[in-house]
Amino acid sequence: MATMTAAQKREQAKMEYDAFLAACPSRQLLDRISNKWVTLILAALGGDRDGEPRPMRYSELSRLLAGVSQKMLTQTLRSLERDGLVARTATPTVPVTVTYELTDLGLSLRQMMRGLKTWAQAHMDDVLAHRATYDARTA
């Protein structure tokens, strides 16, 4: 049996990722990126309002994302930074200026996240109508 290099082992592991398997690490990533706050943060940093990705300050994200708590925003940004989707930059000013922006990996998700948000907004009336029909049928 031939010995595999570390790069070959990584490549083989990539080919073996299967999110339908309980132990697959891609499930953790799917869990993370399917979170509503992750979707909205990635859409915001991806330029959903003005079209172009751009860095945003913490306070700007907090104002834009109505309903997110300070704790949830902080935890979500940290997890996105840990996963390599968002970069945090602290500028030594008084007080310190902190900005967040999408990394190349985060940018690769940009269109999908914007599309998911757009789809939800465009189809909300249909979903609400189906919910009402279902609820009336099962009541």
Side-chain angles (χ1 to χ4, degrees):
M1 180 165 102
T3 305
M4 292 173 57
T5 67
Q8 289 171 323
K9 288 179 182 177
R10 281 192 304 275
E11 191 58 37
Q12 182 179 1
K14 276 187 197 175
M15 293 177 3
E16 294 172 359
Y17 290 145
D18 183 350
F20 289 115
L21 300 176
C24 184
S26 65
R27 277 205 181 181
Q28 292 173 343
L29 182 58
L30 285 171
D31 185 47
R32 167 110 52 241
I33 63 176
S34 64
N35 174 282
K36 73 177 173 185
W37 297 121
V38 168
T39 302
L40 293 172
I41 288 169
L42 293 178
L45 292 173
D48 195 50
R49 296 272 181 170
D50 56 14
E52 289 302 315
R54 66 182 181 87
M56 295 179 79
R57 294 183 64 179
Y58 181 94
S59 58
E60 190 177 6
L61 282 167
S62 182
R63 280 191 304 274
L64 182 62
L65 303 173
V68 68
S69 68
Q70 182 178 359
K71 179 181 177 182
M72 181 55 66
L73 181 56
T74 299
Q75 287 177 345
T76 305
L77 286 166
R78 283 183 184 157
S79 69
L80 290 171
E81 184 180 8
R82 181 174 182 244
D83 288 342
L85 300 172
V86 169
R88 178 184 185 271
T89 304
T91 306
T93 57
V94 179
V96 174
T97 302
V98 178
T99 58
Y100 296 89
E101 65 185 312
L102 295 178
T103 62
D104 288 342
L105 189 58
L107 284 168
S108 70
L109 273 173
R110 178 176 177 243
Q111 289 304 110
M112 191 177 316
M113 290 303 176
R114 289 175 72 186
L116 187 58
K117 179 185 162 288
T118 301
W119 182 91
Q121 292 170 170
H123 293 88
M124 197 63 235
D125 286 340
D126 295 331
V127 171
L128 291 172
H130 284 283
R131 286 179 183 175
T133 302
Y134 178 88
D135 292 347
R137 220 180 36 238
T138 60

